[in-house]
Amino acid sequence: MIVGRTTGERNPWSTRFWFSFTAAMLVLVVLVPVLNRYVAPDSAFAVPDYLVPLLGKYLCYAMLALSLDLVWGYAGILSLGHGAFFALGGYCMGMYLMRQIGTRGVYGNPLLPDFMVFLDWKELPWFWWGFDHFAYAMLMVMLVPGLLAFVFGWLAFRSRVTGVYLSIITQAMTYALMLAFFRNDMGFGGNNGLTDFKDIAGFELQQPATRLGLYVASAIGLGIAFLLCRFITVSKLGRVLLALRDAESRVRFLGYSATNAKLFVFTVSAVLAGIAGALYVPQIGIINPSEFSPENSIELAIWVSVGGRGTLSGAMLGAGLVNLAKTWLTSAAPEIWLFFLGGLFVLTTLLFPRGIVGILGQLRLIRSRRTMPGAPPLAVDEPEAAKERA
Amino acid sequence: MTPSPAPHPPPEVLLYLDGVNVSFDGFKALNDLSLVVEEGELRTIIGPNGAGKTTMMDVVTGKTRPDSGAVFFRGSADLTRLDEAQIANLGIGRKFQRPTVFENLTVFENLELALADSRGTWRTLFARMALEQRERIQATLTRIGLAPHSRKPAGALSHGQKQWLEIGMLLIHDRQLLLLDEPVAGMTDRETEATAELILGLARDRTIVVVEHDMAFVRSLGAKVTVLHEGAVLAEGSVEHVQNHPRVIEVYLGR
Ligand SMILES: Nc1ncnc2c1ncn2[C@@H]1O[C@H](COP(=O)(O)OP(=O)(O)OP(=O)(O)O)[C@@H](O)[C@H]1O
Ligand SMILES: [Mg+2]
């Protein structure tokens, strides 16, 4: 994927970029596994087994954050229902894992998952067909969220639903899905969800090696997702998206279809979120309707804004740091976690609208200004309000 | 004076508004407005605030759907049935009353998006800029005097520079019809003069409709003038003609 200079600006695929990317991937894909497998557990450098799925979880969150950043940071679509795409991908994976249990369930039914036997169902509902095949399930992981996003986006963007209204209906969407998945007769295990998984593609989920494999798969998935998002955002389409965020109707008057451009990124983004969810579920061991809860999607928006929306690295960084804080705080002082999260959001919105990456960028700029007088001006802040007459 | 049969073919009608009505909550912004613009013409439109000048452009470019009436471009399809992007792709470009450039993109990138090139989502994803396109952007930058600011975010430009960038975005794409809404608002006298020259230069090979309040500027364009008042045409003719028109003096120029 060698893409030449496109804007007369810096080459987005410079050697320096590939160098940093490769270095980051080596740390995630090679260093961590080596520290886990080949370093004595009592060494200070060892990555203990229990940490591996936790790291894997962060990587899935980072991928989810990337997907939201693509639509929010670049196209200005604040989806507050992105958790739904993540959960749907997770459910598709969960259905595959359920079918892998086979006769090892409590009721030993070779065809029906335990909860269906419990509900006294006699046959597998049609939408569970095919999920015993890995390839089919993986296809669904992408297809189900993608299709939902496509239909939802087509309806919303075609009728020009934007801004706060769009955010509200995406919240409504994930909330409606949550209520639906809570129902036992939906056929997805009701409020218990899907759990008690045994193995994936023949590998036992309890084995540390399998967990490490899932972690590595998440790291590679994240790397690919990042490259894909970068490819989109540095393309001319990426600039059309940024322009949309600035002045949507102006983009239309230039002859671009704002509807199609948004629909494209929204669908791609939902597919990425779905894949992230599918990687997440086997590492966590359960998927239940609370994954659809509106709070999850809001929290996701906070990760992205803390890290710095409109920068892909910011989104990933935000997901990692906020979740690190969450893991630590929810065990150290669970009662203050929500206040912390809310405070963090208010703080970044008011003081650091460009997030951590924005702060780092400003610092670097100040430093370079001291050394070279002809440095570019400080970046202008995004004008959120529509520029044209409403 | 000359009784000889017309030596020229009848001029082609490029834009034709036929009985257009627009109302906002009962207020008639356009009142049975009919207007004909010929191919290659430079037309200025004046009129008091709220006369419906901007609304007229909104209707032509698909931003506002009229309650009734039709708009024909090159005698082809009724524009009121198309959306903004489709209308733009027929060859109609517009400069807004308030300059709207893409603030977070650089000046260069603003022009890049305005280039005549495929607008398809898939095509833009894989688009690569040709050398000839880069040169075209450079030439336009020079023409609008923004070459030194090429890498600045457009949001950092002055008001006048934004107006010019917006004009640049129109002229980089060879459109047949340009609609300019108050192109010199907020410009200094020098900038206004330069803009008049630029517009006269552009008018040589395309059709332009300019809305303006600045009468000195209108005079310097020396084109046919249409006076709008309460959503309809009040008078039409040369600058002298409308300046001496009693009703025009009463509702607009006299104040
Ligand atoms: N979207 C809208 N909603 C409600 N009223 C509107 C809308 N757009 C225009 N109007 C009203 O329609 C009338 C015509 O407005 P328009 O902007 O076309 O006037 P104009 O001739 O361009 O005036 P100006 O010289 O001030 O730019 C005004 O009274 C305006 O308030
Ligand atoms: Mg106006």
Side-chain angles (χ1 to χ4, degrees):
Chain A
M1 191 159 45
I2 304 301
V3 181
R5 289 156 185 258
T6 49
T7 62
E9 311 269 309
R10 251 185 311 157
N11 177 8
W13 306 103
S14 62
T15 331
R16 213 181 119 192
F17 162 76
W18 283 113
F19 182 79
S20 331
F21 176 78
T22 312
M25 287 310 282
L26 283 178
V27 169
L28 293 178
V29 179
V30 179
L31 186 64
V32 171
V34 166
L35 293 183
N36 172 246
R37 300 288 288 178
Y38 302 110
V39 174
D42 51 355
S43 153
F45 296 104
V47 173
D49 281 344
Y50 77 88
L51 218 52
V52 170
L54 190 67
L55 291 176
K57 184 172 96 166
Y58 291 165
L59 294 178
C60 296
Y61 285 156
M63 192 164 161
L64 177 59
L66 268 185
S67 82
L68 180 68
D69 195 33
L70 188 62
V71 292
W72 184 28
Y74 289 88
I77 307 165
L78 173 52
S79 163
L80 288 180
H82 247 55
F85 304 126
F86 182 80
L88 285 172
Y91 264 98
C92 288
M93 176 57 102
M95 288 161 79
Y96 164 75
L97 296 173
M98 287 307 266
R99 296 297 313 275
Q100 295 309 298
I101 298 173
T103 54
R104 288 169 290 177
V106 176
Y107 298 105
N109 189 309
L111 191 62
L112 299 184
D114 278 351
F115 74 88
M116 290 187 193
V117 181
F118 184 75
L119 289 174
D120 208 18
W121 290 13
K122 295 290 172 250
E123 53 191 292
L124 200 65
W126 62 269
F127 47 83
W128 276 77
W129 296 349
F131 273 95
D132 47 334
H133 299 289
F134 185 74
Y136 176 84
M138 292 312 103
L139 188 68
M140 289 299 130
V141 158
M142 297 187 270
L143 212 57
V144 172
L147 212 59
L148 174 67
F150 185 82
V151 172
F152 183 93
W154 191 72
L155 293 172
F157 302 143
R158 203 185 44 128
S159 24
R160 312 227 170 145
V161 180
T162 52
V164 143
Y165 299 100
L166 190 97
S167 304
I168 291 172
I169 59 170
T170 50
Q171 277 263 288
M173 172 191 77
T174 196
Y175 188 63
L177 281 169
M178 179 177 76
L179 296 184
F181 274 76
F182 262 127
R183 292 160 52 98
N184 278 327
D185 50 11
M186 272 287 281
F188 297 105
N191 62 351
N192 295 322
L194 309 176
T195 186
D196 291 331
F197 309 133
K198 302 282 187 264
D199 46 32
I200 181 166
F203 298 100
E204 240 180 278
L205 279 171
Q206 292 312 319
Q207 289 299 323
T210 309
R211 295 178 158 226
L212 191 64
L214 286 167
Y215 159 84
V216 169
S218 308
I220 293 173
L222 179 64
I224 294 173
F226 171 74
L227 289 180
L228 177 71
C229 289
R230 186 162 173 97
F231 179 72
I232 294 174
T233 55
V234 302
S235 73
K236 185 171 175 186
L237 179 62
R239 292 187 282 287
V240 171
L241 296 175
L242 282 177
L244 269 176
R245 197 185 65 178
D246 276 358
E248 177 165 337
S249 75
R250 186 77 176 86
V251 176
R252 294 181 193 270
F253 287 116
L254 278 181
Y256 293 96
S257 165
T259 310
N260 289 355
K262 286 189 190 179
L263 196 53
F264 175 77
V265 278
F266 195 63
T267 307
V268 168
S269 162
V271 171
L272 288 181
I275 296 172
L279 287 165
Y280 172 83
V281 166
Q283 302 188 73
I284 298 306
I286 183 168
I287 172 83
N288 64 31
S290 68
E291 289 297 336
F292 284 104
S293 85
E295 291 91 333
N296 281 16
S297 296
I298 293 175
E299 216 178 295
L300 163 61
I302 297 179
W303 307 342
V304 175
S305 68
V306 166
R309 76 199 154 97
T311 57
L312 298 175
S313 49
M316 296 188 288
L317 195 68
L321 291 181
V322 177
N323 280 295
L324 209 60
K326 182 177 185 173
T327 305
W328 173 66
L329 261 183
T330 46
S331 67
E335 62 286 351
I336 66 166
W337 162 243
L338 277 180
F339 294 102
F340 174 80
L341 190 67
L344 198 63
F345 185 55
V346 172
L347 205 72
T348 46
T349 314
L350 294 181
L351 298 180
F352 310 110
R354 310 184 126 245
I356 296 172
V357 166
I359 299 173
L360 295 178
Q362 302 284 62
L363 289 180
R364 203 176 314 143
L365 215 57
I366 291 169
R367 229 180 38 210
S368 72
R369 282 188 144 198
R370 270 202 211 123
T371 49
M372 46 183 271
L378 293 172
V380 277
D381 261 331
E382 298 156 22
E384 278 295 282
K387 282 288 155 191
E388 316 99 275
R389 195 178 63 179
Chain B
M1 270 205 328
T2 42
S4 59
H8 303 291
E12 289 267 342
V13 171
L14 184 69
L15 180 72
Y16 173 35
L17 278 76
D18 185 14
V20 173
N21 283 291
V22 171
S23 53
F24 297 111
D25 309 321
F27 172 78
K28 293 216 78 156
L30 292 184
N31 192 356
D32 213 19
L33 174 69
S34 293
L35 190 72
V36 175
V37 177
E38 284 163 12
E39 179 108 50
E41 197 184 340
L42 170 62
R43 172 76 62 94
T44 40
I45 296 187
I46 61 173
N49 291 113
K53 306 180 295 292
T54 300
T55 307
M56 182 274 291
M57 291 192 170
D58 287 346
V59 168
V60 174
T61 53
K63 186 173 185 186
T64 300
R65 279 200 200 278
D67 305 333
S68 63
V71 179
F72 300 101
F73 180 63
R74 287 188 183 292
S76 73
D78 184 355
L79 296 187
T80 60
R81 292 171 200 284
L82 305 179
D83 71 21
E84 296 98 317
Q86 290 169 320
I87 294 174
N89 289 325
L90 285 178
I92 301 183
R94 171 176 190 181
K95 196 205 84 61
F96 287 84
Q97 183 163 350
R98 278 190 59 181
T100 42
V101 292
F102 304 122
E103 312 243 331
N104 282 300
L105 297 182
T106 64
V107 170
F108 188 97
E109 290 168 338
N110 268 270
L111 290 171
E112 180 199 358
L113 292 194
L115 275 172
D117 202 350
S118 168
R119 261 46 174 156
T121 300
W122 198 247
R123 291 281 191 84
T124 50
L125 181 60
F126 293 102
R128 289 193 60 181
M129 197 183 288
L131 185 65
E132 173 250 327
Q133 292 180 312
R134 186 181 299 280
E135 285 166 358
R136 201 178 162 84
I137 294 179
Q138 285 305 338
T140 308
L141 280 169
T142 311
R143 194 160 175 194
I144 57 177
L146 293 179
H149 307 295
S150 151
R151 286 173 178 221
K152 257 194 201 168
L157 296 180
S158 75
H159 187 83
Q161 288 173 325
K162 284 183 190 169
Q163 300 262 49
W164 279 58
L165 174 56
E166 212 181 337
I167 294 173
M169 289 169 76
L170 288 178
L171 65 93
I172 200 167
H173 187 305
D174 268 322
R175 296 192 192 272
Q176 286 314 300
L177 173 63
L178 301 186
L179 305 173
L180 310 179
D181 201 348
E182 307 201 9
V184 298
M187 281 193 182
T188 63
D189 287 352
R190 267 229 338 267
E191 289 174 327
T192 302
E193 262 169 51
T195 307
E197 252 168 59
L198 183 66
I199 290 176
L200 286 170
L202 287 174
R204 266 183 243 129
D205 43 17
R206 48 174 86 52
T207 309
I208 303 184
V209 176
V210 186
V211 164
E212 205 27 89
H213 280 294
D214 184 334
M215 281 310 286
F217 176 73
V218 170
R219 240 174 273 121
S220 70
L221 292 181
K224 185 173 173 184
V225 179
T226 299
V227 185
L228 285 194
H229 177 52
E230 292 177 351
V233 176
L234 180 67
E236 200 165 85
S238 66
V239 182
E240 292 73 38
H241 171 75
V242 300
Q243 274 186 319
N244 295 319
H245 193 288
R247 282 284 289 149
V248 175
I249 295 174
E250 184 188 330
V251 305
Y252 182 49
L253 299 173
R255 291 178 307 162

